[in-house]
Amino acid sequence: MVNNIASILSSLRALLWWNHLAPPVLAVFYFFLWKNDLVFVSHLAHLALFMTSFAGSAAFGYWVNDWMDIEPDRLAGKPNAAAKWSSRQRVAITLVLLAIGWLPWVWLPFNFRILGLLLALYTALVIYAVTPFRFKDRAILGIFCDLLYGHLLPVFIAVAAFSALFGGATLNSRLLWLIALILALKGMRNILEHQIKDRKNDALAGMNTFVRQIGALRSGNIMSYVVVPLELALLAVLSFSLGQGVFISFALFCLAYWFLLYTWGCLKGSPREWLYRSWYIANDYYESWLPLTFLALACIQQPINWLLLLAHLLIFPGSFLLPVRILKQIQYVWSEWTN
């Protein structure tokens, strides 16, 4: 039984999407806790239901993508988790994942806006991977589809659901447009980085990605000189708009990363080296720093929320990585100065 569960989770690449995609979605819940001065206990059931739906949709997307990639992965010599299952088993897994993604909305707040966002999410997941659409082979359409289902739509579904659940403080239209643009840049950066890394396998599989069309060097320059600077600048604007506490937290994050890059010697190397490092800075902000910022602010208002903070750190131990890096580097620099 345990081996079967482990095999299914491996096939769904659960740890990959959970650690990278779930924290920004949870940050929305933490934001509303803070802004509405609420305790998490009263809404724990709703949070569990929402994250169940999120897990179902994310797993569905990865599963369908792997299923449709069985032959391209075989040509590229890549392992494919869906290949080991029979056709009937693949259909059964697909139906179960659809149920997990949709059934929680029987108990969650539901309206036409949420329905439209959910339909858009599942449509994007299907047309990205499934023939005859298969947007992942269609250059710019693949990037657009990926940033929708992987970054923008899950966050906006969370905003719509928790706005309906909590009422009270919400996000105005200007902030929503700003968040949409930031998430679009985040999605563009992540898919370009993935395509740059995977370009040789994509060539073997005959996949016509955006990076293969314009070249890895040009794609890297777009990332380094356009996407990353604009994304970080807009994050600064967003953090300032959300309040003093969020802006101070963002400034501390930037200062901490500057310290790391400087003491690692990255800023002394060639521009290409430290610009390459910059591709990954914002991911630490979305996946670790921002959720903890909102959660810490919620804890200051309602001390019982510290239990939720502890649970978050246990579920996402990767949240410790950046603080540990900073502390280790401070210790190293101090020992260098004192010896």
Side-chain angles (χ1 to χ4, degrees):
M1 179 67 176
V2 174
N3 289 336
N4 288 336
I5 294 174
S7 178
I8 292 173
L9 290 176
S10 174
S11 298
L12 300 176
R13 294 189 282 174
L15 291 179
L16 177 63
W17 51 259
W18 180 255
N19 289 325
H20 294 293
L21 302 182
V25 172
L26 281 168
V28 177
F29 178 77
Y30 302 154
F31 168 82
F32 280 104
L33 281 185
W34 164 51
K35 279 297 184 180
N36 291 290
D37 195 10
L38 299 170
V39 297
F40 80 96
V41 178
S42 304
H43 303 284
L44 192 56
H46 289 109
L47 177 61
L49 285 167
F50 183 86
M51 294 310 295
T52 298
S53 173
F54 164 80
S57 63
F60 172 83
Y62 274 92
W63 170 253
V64 170
N65 186 63
D66 274 359
W67 186 357
M68 298 300 109
D69 274 356
I70 290 176
E71 182 59 20
D73 284 349
R74 186 189 66 79
L75 293 174
K78 290 174 57 179
N80 185 298
K84 65 182 178 181
W85 302 95
S86 68
S87 296
R88 286 186 178 181
Q89 289 172 324
R90 291 174 198 151
V91 171
I93 291 172
T94 303
L95 293 175
V96 169
L97 293 176
L98 282 171
I100 293 172
W102 283 92
L103 281 178
W105 294 98
V106 173
W107 299 277
L108 288 167
F110 198 71
N111 53 43
F112 284 112
R113 178 182 298 178
I114 294 172
L115 175 61
L117 290 168
L118 284 169
L119 290 174
L121 173 65
Y122 278 87
T123 299
L125 290 170
V126 170
I127 65 177
Y128 179 76
V130 177
T131 305
F133 311 101
R134 198 161 171 82
F135 281 6
K136 67 184 297 181
D137 291 344
R138 300 191 183 186
I140 195 67
L141 288 175
I143 289 179
F144 179 72
C145 207
D146 183 272
L147 68 86
L148 278 179
Y149 74 69
H151 305 274
L152 199 148
L153 287 171
V155 169
F156 272 73
I157 291 169
V159 170
F162 294 129
S163 294
L165 177 64
F166 294 141
T170 185
L171 295 165
N172 61 47
S173 58
R174 288 185 180 180
L175 284 178
L176 289 174
W177 278 108
L178 180 58
I179 291 169
L181 183 54
I182 291 170
L183 291 172
L185 291 168
K186 172 179 180 276
M188 186 180 299
R189 175 175 50 79
N190 277 275
I191 189 61
L192 283 175
E193 186 269 340
H194 172 75
Q195 289 184 2
I196 289 171
K197 280 187 174 179
D198 221 28
R199 63 189 185 278
K200 293 182 180 178
N201 287 330
D202 289 341
L204 290 172
M207 295 173 61
N208 189 30
T209 64
F210 180 79
V211 168
R212 286 200 62 219
Q213 278 200 356
I214 71 168
L217 181 59
R218 187 177 297 176
S219 300
N221 287 337
I222 291 173
M223 290 263 285
S224 298
Y225 298 109
V226 180
V227 176
V228 170
L230 185 56
E231 183 182 9
L232 292 175
L234 292 178
L235 277 174
V237 174
L238 177 64
S239 63
F240 182 80
S241 302
L242 292 178
Q244 185 179 23
V246 182
F247 183 70
I248 291 173
S249 176
F250 179 74
L252 289 173
F253 172 82
C254 294
L255 182 63
Y257 239 107
W258 176 88
F259 169 76
L260 287 176
L261 293 175
Y262 180 79
T263 54
W264 284 340
C266 298
L267 302 181
K268 298 177 182 178
S270 66
R272 179 174 296 179
E273 180 182 350
W274 63 264
L275 285 171
Y276 173 77
R277 289 272 189 175
S278 73
W279 294 1
Y280 305 94
I281 292 175
N283 284 347
D284 280 332
Y285 186 70
Y286 300 120
E287 296 167 14
S288 174
W289 202 277
L290 183 62
L292 292 179
T293 296
F294 289 145
L295 194 45
L297 291 169
C299 290
I300 292 171
Q301 291 178 327
Q302 299 286 351
I304 195 173
N305 287 333
W306 284 100
L307 294 174
L308 183 59
L309 176 60
L310 178 61
H312 182 95
L313 293 172
L314 290 174
I315 295 171
F316 300 99
S319 300
F320 290 105
L321 291 180
L322 184 57
V324 167
R325 286 185 205 144
I326 295 168
L327 291 175
K328 283 185 176 180
Q329 203 61 22
I330 291 173
Q331 183 182 21
Y332 171 76
V333 172
W334 179 257
S335 65
E336 288 290 305
W337 283 350
T338 55
N339 290 334

